[in-house]
Amino acid sequence: MSRRERAVDALVVGAGPAGLAAAAELAAGGAGEVEVLDHAPGPGGLPLHLTHRGFGPRRSPLGGPAYVRPLVRAALEAGAALRPRVLATGSPAPGTVDVTHPGGLERITARAVVLATGARERPRGARLIPGTRPEGVLTAGELLRSVRLHHRPAGRRAVVAGTGPGALAAVRALREAGADVVALVTGHPEAPLLPPRLRVPVLTSAAVAEVTGADGLSGVLVTGPGAAVRRLDCDTLVLTGEGVPECELARLAGAALDPATRGPAVDTALRTSLAGVFAAGDVLRGGGDAPGAAAEGRHAARSALRHLAGGGRPAGLLRLDAVAPLEWITPGLLPVPGEPPPRGRFTLSVSRRVDGPVLLAEQDGRPLGRWPLPHTALPGRPLHLYGMPFAAADPLGGPVRVRIGRTSFPAGPSRG
């Protein structure tokens, strides 16, 4: 089959909150011809399947579909072209994307590319859970699509494994579908914070060790503290968390990846190591909140507009190294020498609870600052730091080491 080749000014891959917000910003900012690709039947991403009121302003929260509708409208009204049912299959060079769709094959070249491909959850095989292979084992995304999009039943008795927003969304969807949630199984030593309406039995410091059943799931074996094993009878197991960035396109294009998040390595302008290629949203870290992803999409678009105007360059090389219990921080690169750090948002993740956390930074043994964080640090609950931290870092020095704790480091700004 012959492949059509064409060019656009700006190409956005992914039509979730980050991609839609980026497209609107690009088109409104005069980027020229802006196109958004997505493999799904329609734009919106995961929020389309999340009906609870957890999006938008805290004082007037919206359900997922109501939240994404204005994003879609803004992109269209700004002049961006939304192309659903288009699958990006490769990137032979920076700024070039190969796609397939019902009409055939295409190779699209763009002067600026924003990767907003999101994340996926690790399936059972990647989590190395042994046992039989019965029906009834799902990721949270598969559950939401099955229940909310295709209106299928969710079973009668369910076990949810994991923590964080994905686990809450799974519990909520199961309850709405009439299923009894037998337990929420988490490897963390403390139970997650559950709203009163979603409270279920929680097994902490535990993990699903085996799946049982022939044609259909009949139960799971759960290991707990001291290697104790118990069986939970269920016909549905929902695996949540452990998000993996959908970064295959970035990898194929030759972009450097962050070893901690496994997503594209970006600096504070959300530039990748490839000139003209930017990344925003869940592709950076494997998960996150929709409003934050949309804000990153706009931020990446503004950087792309500067690139289109002739001020573009690849990401900086000064690395932020996370020290345990800090798992990762993104963006993980600071700007190139001579460029002021833009005001933005850093996202952090921890492996254990830390009360009254502060972010501490040092470079080559020299303290750089101390920034209080907004709330208790909990596994599976991202922390955000706003403003212009790390401004005292030497662009030509060694990596900046960042950790969570309390020291006598001099205070730095906490919010911008």
Side-chain angles (χ1 to χ4, degrees), residues 1 4 12-13 25 45 67 94 113 121 123 160 170 190 194 211 229 236 288 292 307 311 353 358 364 395:
M1 181 182 294
R4 178 190 176 199
V12 180
V13 186
E25 190 82 12
Y67 172 77
V113 175
E121 291 169 304
V160 176
E190 297 185 21
L194 299 174
V211 171
V229 179
T236 303
H307 169 78
R353 176 181 179 128
V358 293
D364 300 328

PDB file of all heavy atoms in Angstrom, residues 1 4 12-13 25 45 67 94 113 121 123 160 170 190 194 211 229 236 288 292 307 311 353 358 364 395:
ATOM      1  N   MET A   1       0.846  -1.195   0.000  1.00  0.00           N
ATOM      2  CA  MET A   1       0.000   0.000   0.000  1.00  0.00           C
ATOM      3  C   MET A   1       0.881   1.243   0.000  1.00  0.00           C
ATOM      4  O   MET A   1       1.824   1.346   0.787  1.00  0.00           O
ATOM      5  CB  MET A   1      -0.916   0.001   1.239  1.00  0.00           C
ATOM      6  CG  MET A   1      -1.855   1.200   1.315  1.00  0.00           C
ATOM      7  SD  MET A   1      -2.857   1.176   2.813  1.00  0.00           S
ATOM      8  CE  MET A   1      -3.871  -0.273   2.521  1.00  0.00           C
ATOM      9  N   ARG A   4       0.974   8.141   1.764  1.00  0.00           N
ATOM     10  CA  ARG A   4       0.875   9.562   1.439  1.00  0.00           C
ATOM     11  C   ARG A   4       1.792  10.350   2.361  1.00  0.00           C
ATOM     12  O   ARG A   4       1.890  10.060   3.561  1.00  0.00           O
ATOM     13  CB  ARG A   4      -0.576  10.011   1.620  1.00  0.00           C
ATOM     14  CG  ARG A   4      -0.803  11.487   1.359  1.00  0.00           C
ATOM     15  CD  ARG A   4      -2.197  11.884   1.785  1.00  0.00           C
ATOM     16  NE  ARG A   4      -2.438  13.308   1.644  1.00  0.00           N
ATOM     17  CZ  ARG A   4      -3.403  13.977   2.266  1.00  0.00           C
ATOM     18  NH1 ARG A   4      -4.230  13.327   3.082  1.00  0.00           N
ATOM     19  NH2 ARG A   4      -3.568  15.270   2.078  1.00  0.00           N
ATOM     20  N   VAL A  12       0.151  17.489  17.182  1.00  0.00           N
ATOM     21  CA  VAL A  12      -0.044  17.035  18.557  1.00  0.00           C
ATOM     22  C   VAL A  12      -0.488  15.580  18.496  1.00  0.00           C
ATOM     23  O   VAL A  12      -1.456  15.256  17.810  1.00  0.00           O
ATOM     24  CB  VAL A  12      -1.098  17.884  19.291  1.00  0.00           C
ATOM     25  CG1 VAL A  12      -1.283  17.381  20.725  1.00  0.00           C
ATOM     26  CG2 VAL A  12      -0.705  19.357  19.287  1.00  0.00           C
ATOM     27  N   VAL A  13       0.210  14.713  19.200  1.00  0.00           N
ATOM     28  CA  VAL A  13      -0.129  13.294  19.216  1.00  0.00           C
ATOM     29  C   VAL A  13      -0.777  12.980  20.558  1.00  0.00           C
ATOM     30  O   VAL A  13      -0.130  12.993  21.603  1.00  0.00           O
ATOM     31  CB  VAL A  13       1.103  12.409  18.990  1.00  0.00           C
ATOM     32  CG1 VAL A  13       0.679  10.946  18.877  1.00  0.00           C
ATOM     33  CG2 VAL A  13       1.858  12.841  17.744  1.00  0.00           C
ATOM     34  N   GLU A  25      -3.814  26.151  22.400  1.00  0.00           N
ATOM     35  CA  GLU A  25      -2.806  27.191  22.604  1.00  0.00           C
ATOM     36  C   GLU A  25      -2.002  27.427  21.331  1.00  0.00           C
ATOM     37  O   GLU A  25      -1.709  28.568  20.970  1.00  0.00           O
ATOM     38  CB  GLU A  25      -1.879  26.779  23.753  1.00  0.00           C
ATOM     39  CG  GLU A  25      -0.948  27.856  24.234  1.00  0.00           C
ATOM     40  CD  GLU A  25      -1.599  28.823  25.207  1.00  0.00           C
ATOM     41  OE1 GLU A  25      -2.708  28.537  25.695  1.00  0.00           O
ATOM     42  OE2 GLU A  25      -0.991  29.871  25.459  1.00  0.00           O
ATOM     43  N   GLY A  45      -9.791  11.549  25.911  1.00  0.00           N
ATOM     44  CA  GLY A  45      -8.936  10.709  26.746  1.00  0.00           C
ATOM     45  C   GLY A  45      -9.694  10.045  27.872  1.00  0.00           C
ATOM     46  O   GLY A  45     -10.924   9.896  27.852  1.00  0.00           O
ATOM     47  N   TYR A  67     -15.861  18.118  31.842  1.00  0.00           N
ATOM     48  CA  TYR A  67     -14.584  18.821  31.912  1.00  0.00           C
ATOM     49  C   TYR A  67     -13.905  18.905  30.544  1.00  0.00           C
ATOM     50  O   TYR A  67     -13.333  19.945  30.183  1.00  0.00           O
ATOM     51  CB  TYR A  67     -13.661  18.126  32.913  1.00  0.00           C
ATOM     52  CG  TYR A  67     -12.259  18.659  32.903  1.00  0.00           C
ATOM     53  CD1 TYR A  67     -11.953  19.873  33.512  1.00  0.00           C
ATOM     54  CD2 TYR A  67     -11.232  17.971  32.259  1.00  0.00           C
ATOM     55  CE1 TYR A  67     -10.666  20.388  33.481  1.00  0.00           C
ATOM     56  CE2 TYR A  67      -9.949  18.474  32.223  1.00  0.00           C
ATOM     57  CZ  TYR A  67      -9.663  19.678  32.836  1.00  0.00           C
ATOM     58  OH  TYR A  67      -8.390  20.181  32.790  1.00  0.00           O
ATOM     59  N   PRO A  94      13.078  13.025  14.098  1.00  0.00           N
ATOM     60  CA  PRO A  94      12.410  14.083  14.848  1.00  0.00           C
ATOM     61  C   PRO A  94      11.534  14.933  13.936  1.00  0.00           C
ATOM     62  O   PRO A  94      11.975  15.349  12.856  1.00  0.00           O
ATOM     63  CB  PRO A  94      13.577  14.897  15.425  1.00  0.00           C
ATOM     64  CG  PRO A  94      14.710  13.935  15.489  1.00  0.00           C
ATOM     65  CD  PRO A  94      14.538  13.034  14.304  1.00  0.00           C
ATOM     66  N   VAL A 113       6.376  19.277  17.232  1.00  0.00           N
ATOM     67  CA  VAL A 113       5.567  18.127  17.630  1.00  0.00           C
ATOM     68  C   VAL A 113       5.412  18.146  19.145  1.00  0.00           C
ATOM     69  O   VAL A 113       6.405  18.316  19.875  1.00  0.00           O
ATOM     70  CB  VAL A 113       6.215  16.797  17.199  1.00  0.00           C
ATOM     71  CG1 VAL A 113       5.429  15.601  17.740  1.00  0.00           C
ATOM     72  CG2 VAL A 113       6.318  16.719  15.678  1.00  0.00           C
ATOM     73  N   GLU A 121      -1.658   1.321  32.090  1.00  0.00           N
ATOM     74  CA  GLU A 121      -1.390   0.568  33.316  1.00  0.00           C
ATOM     75  C   GLU A 121      -0.755  -0.776  32.980  1.00  0.00           C
ATOM     76  O   GLU A 121      -1.077  -1.388  31.966  1.00  0.00           O
ATOM     77  CB  GLU A 121      -2.691   0.357  34.088  1.00  0.00           C
ATOM     78  CG  GLU A 121      -3.239   1.647  34.662  1.00  0.00           C
ATOM     79  CD  GLU A 121      -4.656   1.459  35.176  1.00  0.00           C
ATOM     80  OE1 GLU A 121      -5.510   1.035  34.402  1.00  0.00           O
ATOM     81  OE2 GLU A 121      -4.882   1.743  36.353  1.00  0.00           O
ATOM     82  N   PRO A 123      -0.362  -4.465  32.717  1.00  0.00           N
ATOM     83  CA  PRO A 123      -1.293  -5.597  32.799  1.00  0.00           C
ATOM     84  C   PRO A 123      -0.763  -6.671  33.740  1.00  0.00           C
ATOM     85  O   PRO A 123       0.348  -6.567  34.283  1.00  0.00           O
ATOM     86  CB  PRO A 123      -1.344  -6.103  31.356  1.00  0.00           C
ATOM     87  CG  PRO A 123      -0.006  -5.736  30.801  1.00  0.00           C
ATOM     88  CD  PRO A 123       0.385  -4.436  31.463  1.00  0.00           C
ATOM     89  N   VAL A 160      -9.844  -4.954  44.298  1.00  0.00           N
ATOM     90  CA  VAL A 160      -9.076  -3.903  43.631  1.00  0.00           C
ATOM     91  C   VAL A 160      -7.673  -3.915  44.208  1.00  0.00           C
ATOM     92  O   VAL A 160      -7.491  -3.899  45.432  1.00  0.00           O
ATOM     93  CB  VAL A 160      -9.727  -2.519  43.826  1.00  0.00           C
ATOM     94  CG1 VAL A 160      -8.856  -1.430  43.201  1.00  0.00           C
ATOM     95  CG2 VAL A 160     -11.123  -2.504  43.225  1.00  0.00           C
ATOM     96  N   ALA A 170     -11.681   2.911  40.210  1.00  0.00           N
ATOM     97  CA  ALA A 170     -12.141   1.537  40.058  1.00  0.00           C
ATOM     98  C   ALA A 170     -13.207   1.197  41.089  1.00  0.00           C
ATOM     99  O   ALA A 170     -14.235   0.587  40.768  1.00  0.00           O
ATOM    100  CB  ALA A 170     -10.957   0.573  40.170  1.00  0.00           C
ATOM    101  N   GLU A 190       0.155   1.963  54.926  1.00  0.00           N
ATOM    102  CA  GLU A 190      -0.985   2.737  55.418  1.00  0.00           C
ATOM    103  C   GLU A 190      -2.108   2.715  54.396  1.00  0.00           C
ATOM    104  O   GLU A 190      -1.872   2.713  53.184  1.00  0.00           O
ATOM    105  CB  GLU A 190      -0.577   4.182  55.708  1.00  0.00           C
ATOM    106  CG  GLU A 190       0.457   4.308  56.811  1.00  0.00           C
ATOM    107  CD  GLU A 190       0.736   5.745  57.156  1.00  0.00           C
ATOM    108  OE1 GLU A 190      -0.126   6.607  56.850  1.00  0.00           O
ATOM    109  OE2 GLU A 190       1.796   6.024  57.723  1.00  0.00           O
ATOM    110  N   LEU A 194      -9.828   7.400  51.742  1.00  0.00           N
ATOM    111  CA  LEU A 194     -11.025   7.080  50.963  1.00  0.00           C
ATOM    112  C   LEU A 194     -12.177   7.955  51.410  1.00  0.00           C
ATOM    113  O   LEU A 194     -12.420   8.099  52.613  1.00  0.00           O
ATOM    114  CB  LEU A 194     -11.412   5.608  51.150  1.00  0.00           C
ATOM    115  CG  LEU A 194     -10.392   4.557  50.703  1.00  0.00           C
ATOM    116  CD1 LEU A 194     -10.873   3.159  51.089  1.00  0.00           C
ATOM    117  CD2 LEU A 194     -10.172   4.638  49.204  1.00  0.00           C
ATOM    118  N   VAL A 211      -3.688 -15.872  41.034  1.00  0.00           N
ATOM    119  CA  VAL A 211      -5.055 -15.828  40.516  1.00  0.00           C
ATOM    120  C   VAL A 211      -5.539 -17.257  40.342  1.00  0.00           C
ATOM    121  O   VAL A 211      -4.800 -18.118  39.862  1.00  0.00           O
ATOM    122  CB  VAL A 211      -5.089 -15.076  39.170  1.00  0.00           C
ATOM    123  CG1 VAL A 211      -6.450 -15.209  38.516  1.00  0.00           C
ATOM    124  CG2 VAL A 211      -4.743 -13.602  39.376  1.00  0.00           C
ATOM    125  N   VAL A 229      -0.795 -15.781  54.068  1.00  0.00           N
ATOM    126  CA  VAL A 229      -1.552 -15.894  52.832  1.00  0.00           C
ATOM    127  C   VAL A 229      -3.025 -16.102  53.163  1.00  0.00           C
ATOM    128  O   VAL A 229      -3.381 -16.904  54.032  1.00  0.00           O
ATOM    129  CB  VAL A 229      -1.043 -17.070  51.971  1.00  0.00           C
ATOM    130  CG1 VAL A 229      -1.858 -17.183  50.685  1.00  0.00           C
ATOM    131  CG2 VAL A 229       0.430 -16.896  51.640  1.00  0.00           C
ATOM    132  N   THR A 236     -13.995 -10.764  39.949  1.00  0.00           N
ATOM    133  CA  THR A 236     -13.374  -9.655  39.235  1.00  0.00           C
ATOM    134  C   THR A 236     -12.160  -9.178  40.015  1.00  0.00           C
ATOM    135  O   THR A 236     -12.246  -8.988  41.233  1.00  0.00           O
ATOM    136  CB  THR A 236     -14.357  -8.481  39.053  1.00  0.00           C
ATOM    137  OG1 THR A 236     -15.519  -8.937  38.363  1.00  0.00           O
ATOM    138  CG2 THR A 236     -13.720  -7.355  38.256  1.00  0.00           C
ATOM    139  N   GLY A 288      -1.300  11.080  36.510  1.00  0.00           N
ATOM    140  CA  GLY A 288      -1.429  12.444  36.992  1.00  0.00           C
ATOM    141  C   GLY A 288      -2.864  12.908  36.933  1.00  0.00           C
ATOM    142  O   GLY A 288      -3.783  12.127  36.692  1.00  0.00           O
ATOM    143  N   GLY A 292      -3.819  19.320  35.691  1.00  0.00           N
ATOM    144  CA  GLY A 292      -2.372  19.499  35.616  1.00  0.00           C
ATOM    145  C   GLY A 292      -1.837  19.150  34.248  1.00  0.00           C
ATOM    146  O   GLY A 292      -0.940  19.826  33.719  1.00  0.00           O
ATOM    147  N   HIS A 307       9.671  28.019  19.565  1.00  0.00           N
ATOM    148  CA  HIS A 307      10.471  27.268  18.596  1.00  0.00           C
ATOM    149  C   HIS A 307      10.075  27.641  17.166  1.00  0.00           C
ATOM    150  O   HIS A 307      10.940  27.863  16.301  1.00  0.00           O
ATOM    151  CB  HIS A 307      10.289  25.770  18.819  1.00  0.00           C
ATOM    152  CG  HIS A 307      10.844  24.915  17.732  1.00  0.00           C
ATOM    153  ND1 HIS A 307      12.189  24.641  17.603  1.00  0.00           N
ATOM    154  CD2 HIS A 307      10.233  24.289  16.681  1.00  0.00           C
ATOM    155  CE1 HIS A 307      12.389  23.878  16.551  1.00  0.00           C
ATOM    156  NE2 HIS A 307      11.227  23.652  15.968  1.00  0.00           N
ATOM    157  N   GLY A 311      13.116  30.554  18.095  1.00  0.00           N
ATOM    158  CA  GLY A 311      13.867  30.551  19.352  1.00  0.00           C
ATOM    159  C   GLY A 311      13.977  29.181  19.969  1.00  0.00           C
ATOM    160  O   GLY A 311      14.142  29.067  21.186  1.00  0.00           O
ATOM    161  N   ARG A 353       5.435   7.398  53.326  1.00  0.00           N
ATOM    162  CA  ARG A 353       4.829   8.594  53.919  1.00  0.00           C
ATOM    163  C   ARG A 353       5.898   9.482  54.559  1.00  0.00           C
ATOM    164  O   ARG A 353       6.806   8.999  55.243  1.00  0.00           O
ATOM    165  CB  ARG A 353       3.799   8.184  54.969  1.00  0.00           C
ATOM    166  CG  ARG A 353       3.174   9.360  55.704  1.00  0.00           C
ATOM    167  CD  ARG A 353       2.177   8.889  56.734  1.00  0.00           C
ATOM    168  NE  ARG A 353       1.599  10.023  57.438  1.00  0.00           N
ATOM    169  CZ  ARG A 353       0.317  10.243  57.586  1.00  0.00           C
ATOM    170  NH1 ARG A 353      -0.560   9.395  57.081  1.00  0.00           N
ATOM    171  NH2 ARG A 353      -0.125  11.286  58.245  1.00  0.00           N
ATOM    172  N   VAL A 358       9.521  18.783  53.171  1.00  0.00           N
ATOM    173  CA  VAL A 358      10.156  19.891  52.445  1.00  0.00           C
ATOM    174  C   VAL A 358      11.065  19.268  51.392  1.00  0.00           C
ATOM    175  O   VAL A 358      11.581  18.161  51.574  1.00  0.00           O
ATOM    176  CB  VAL A 358      10.967  20.828  53.365  1.00  0.00           C
ATOM    177  CG1 VAL A 358      10.068  21.585  54.309  1.00  0.00           C
ATOM    178  CG2 VAL A 358      12.025  20.037  54.130  1.00  0.00           C
ATOM    179  N   ASP A 364      26.886  19.518  43.980  1.00  0.00           N
ATOM    180  CA  ASP A 364      28.320  19.431  44.264  1.00  0.00           C
ATOM    181  C   ASP A 364      28.610  19.729  45.728  1.00  0.00           C
ATOM    182  O   ASP A 364      29.583  20.422  46.073  1.00  0.00           O
ATOM    183  CB  ASP A 364      29.108  20.394  43.361  1.00  0.00           C
ATOM    184  CG  ASP A 364      28.920  20.081  41.881  1.00  0.00           C
ATOM    185  OD1 ASP A 364      28.753  18.897  41.553  1.00  0.00           O
ATOM    186  OD2 ASP A 364      28.930  21.030  41.065  1.00  0.00           O
ATOM    187  N   PRO A 395      24.576  26.079  36.021  1.00  0.00           N
ATOM    188  CA  PRO A 395      24.258  25.330  34.799  1.00  0.00           C
ATOM    189  C   PRO A 395      25.395  24.449  34.319  1.00  0.00           C
ATOM    190  O   PRO A 395      25.175  23.472  33.605  1.00  0.00           O
ATOM    191  CB  PRO A 395      23.938  26.428  33.782  1.00  0.00           C
ATOM    192  CG  PRO A 395      23.621  27.633  34.583  1.00  0.00           C
ATOM    193  CD  PRO A 395      24.441  27.530  35.823  1.00  0.00           C
TER     194      PRO A 395
END
